[in-house]
Amino acid sequence: MSTKTRRYELKARAESQRETRERIAKVAAELHEEVGVARTTVAEIARRAGVQRLTVYNHFADLSDLLPACSAHYAAQHPRPDLRPALALEDPVARVRAVLAGMYGWYRETEPMLEKLHGDRASVPALDEFMRANGDRALADLAGALAPGFGARGSRAERLRTLIALALDFGTWRRLSREGLDDPAA
């Protein structure tokens, strides 16, 4: 009888810890979108999550531990577009346009968060490292996948990959959008 009770308590405690961890990640992601990573404090995360500061640290020792959890929470709410149909198009120009349409629509949806992240990355080393390892790498891989379809070789292929990477960049979309272009025109 005591064995069953003990097992139940362990499961209940583990579930409670998982819920607390998720709540902290959710609150941190909300704060990152509202005020940015640089201005988010552990004290405010704890207050909004209804936990003590020590609880935040027990779940996330530092920002490098917190960012993946925040990112996973945010991505579940705002998933990146499924680009497989676009990447399957045979015409390379149509393929790039379809990928840009998907990415630009996602940028529009997630603009408040992305503006904060890109604005803070220069002053928050852990954020810059996280973005380089994840978002930057994903966009570089995507540009690399799109460029070969044009049949360019050597330095021309590298220039083309660079131009596609520039077109895929959030900063490029934001600039074009602020200049008054809608997503199809951009």
Side-chain angles (χ1 to χ4, degrees), residues 36-55:
V37 175
R39 293 182 53 206
T40 296
T41 65
V42 172
E44 186 60 14
I45 293 170
R47 187 187 71 74
R48 287 195 188 186
V51 299
Q52 299 295 316
R53 288 179 56 201
L54 183 58
T55 303

Side-chain angles (χ1 to χ4, degrees), residues 112-124:
M113 176 66 93
L114 293 175
E115 276 187 323
K116 302 283 188 324
L117 295 176
H118 286 270
D120 285 349
R121 77 184 289 182
S123 63
V124 182

Side-chain angles (χ1 to χ4, degrees), residues 24-25 27-46 48 56-57 63 66-67 70 113 116-117 120 124:
I24 292 167
V27 166
E30 290 168 356
L31 283 164
H32 292 166
E33 186 172 30
E34 288 173 30
V35 300
V37 175
R39 293 182 53 206
T40 296
T41 65
V42 172
E44 186 60 14
I45 293 170
R48 287 195 188 186
V56 175
Y57 286 117
L63 186 57
L66 182 58
L67 287 172
C70 291
M113 176 66 93
K116 302 283 188 324
L117 295 176
D120 285 349
V124 182

Side-chain angles (χ1 to χ4, degrees), residues 52-90:
Q52 299 295 316
R53 288 179 56 201
L54 183 58
T55 303
V56 175
Y57 286 117
N58 284 337
H59 285 276
F60 303 101
D62 57 26
L63 186 57
S64 296
D65 291 339
L66 182 58
L67 287 172
C70 291
S71 179
H73 172 79
Y74 191 81
Q77 305 299 311
H78 306 278
R80 282 184 178 252
D82 179 5
L83 299 176
R84 289 177 296 192
L87 291 169
L89 295 172
E90 292 210 21

Side-chain angles (χ1 to χ4, degrees), residues 103-149:
M103 292 303 295
Y104 286 5
W106 184 72
Y107 289 160
R108 187 165 303 284
E109 174 190 338
T110 60
E111 182 177 11
M113 176 66 93
L114 293 175
E115 276 187 323
K116 302 283 188 324
L117 295 176
H118 286 270
D120 285 349
R121 77 184 289 182
S123 63
V124 182
L127 175 61
D128 184 55
E129 183 180 324
F130 180 78
M131 291 178 73
R132 273 188 286 113
N134 294 283
D136 295 356
R137 179 179 292 162
L139 288 179
D141 290 347
L142 183 56
L146 289 168

Side-chain angles (χ1 to χ4, degrees), residues 90-93 95 144-158 160-161 164:
E90 292 210 21
D91 177 39
V93 173
R95 187 170 46 248
L146 289 168
F150 289 90
R153 302 275 188 261
S155 63
R156 186 168 185 268
E158 185 56 29
L160 184 59
R161 189 207 57 74
I164 292 171

